[in-house]
Amino acid sequence: MPTEARTVLYSCYFQYSPHEAAFVLPVSYRTEARALLLQSAVRQLTNQGIGITSGTPPPPHSVRPARQSVRVRSCAESSWP
């Protein structure tokens, strides 16, 4: 992952979750706050030519609130769709 992408995500309060292998926003943030932070991150990453995929991970075996995850890929990576 490009250093610039990590910097943007951390500045928008994302946290890296090694278990999910993704950057996530804490569930303690209100839905509106998470939406604004996600929009800000997408805008900044897009301006730098870095694409993202986002989604809610599948539910784990135990019940816990879903977190928004963001996977960041450089447009230069060969696996980019």
Side-chain angles (χ1 to χ4, degrees):
M1 172 180 302
T3 302
E4 297 85 3
R6 285 193 304 271
T7 301
V8 167
L9 292 171
Y10 285 131
S11 73
C12 291
Y13 301 102
F14 281 80
Q15 300 169 355
Y16 185 74
S17 170
H19 177 70
E20 297 173 68
F23 281 86
V24 296
L25 285 169
V27 293
S28 60
Y29 292 0
R30 294 175 305 140
T31 301
E32 297 85 5
R34 288 195 314 268
L36 290 172
L37 291 167
L38 180 59
Q39 287 174 343
S40 178
V42 168
R43 185 173 40 254
Q44 292 177 58
L45 292 169
T46 301
N47 287 341
Q48 293 181 24
I50 301 170
I52 68 161
T53 58
S54 67
T56 304
H61 296 294
S62 63
V63 177
R64 48 175 234 226
R67 299 195 297 180
Q68 182 71 30
S69 66
V70 175
R71 301 190 194 302
V72 179
R73 292 187 184 122
S74 169
C75 290
E77 288 184 28
S78 61
S79 63
W80 188 254

